[in-house]
Amino acid sequence: MFPAAPIAALLAMVVFTALLYVVEVVDQLTHLQLDADGIVPRQVNGLEGVLWAPLLHHGWPHLFANTLPFLIFGFLAMAGGFVQFIAVTALIWIVGGLGVWLTAPPHTTTIGMSGVIFGWLVFLLVRGFFARSAKQILLGIVLFMFWGGLLLGVLPGQPGISWQAHLFGALAGLLAAWIVARADRRSAPGPVAA
């Protein structure tokens, strides 16, 4: 339910968050030139943005809005260990980004960590059901009570906000939870005959 090494998990998330702030400082110092490195839909050169987009933000308010959920969900997503966290995050990052690349409106550039944040949130909400873990289901219920309203962000509507990043990040988080639960079941010891 919570990371086995909470101090190490917290430190990892603080370092990762500091990286986002350093990138934004560099972006501001270069007059927002880094923002052009986001996901440009259906352009071959826009595929590179899948790798960079989550590290970029459209100014300080965008980054500030993402910071708290980034820290909380990232910390909780480390409950399965650091290797699992990296695998889950990579899957959400890449699959979510490819979904944006395929579906975002033309002549746009998508940036921000929101897709990964939505992916972590959905991963945390559903992994207990796939894993058949009452503790994880309880954590999912608590998270839903506090953060469930965020899920409305997967719907189109607010101009300038990439609902595609939210939607495909969330779908990638669902996929990650299913894959992790299957992998955990396969590695669990089976019954022993006496």
Side-chain angles (χ1 to χ4, degrees), residues 9 41 48 51 70 77 83 102 104 108 110 113 115 122 131 140 157 171 173 193:
E48 186 178 310
L51 298 176
F70 178 78
V83 172
L102 287 169
T108 60
T110 302
M113 187 58 77
V122 169
L171 292 173

Side-chain angles (χ1 to χ4, degrees), residues 129-132 178 180-189:
F129 294 99
F130 288 126
R132 298 182 189 110
W178 179 74
V180 164
R182 280 188 54 139
D184 287 348
R185 277 196 295 275
R186 270 194 237 124
S187 64

Side-chain angles (χ1 to χ4, degrees), residues 25-48:
V25 166
V26 171
D27 189 36
Q28 295 292 325
L29 291 175
T30 59
H31 305 290
L32 308 178
Q33 290 181 5
L34 295 181
D35 288 352
D37 293 331
I39 301 168
V40 180
R42 294 168 303 285
Q43 302 287 325
V44 173
N45 61 348
L47 270 172
E48 186 178 310

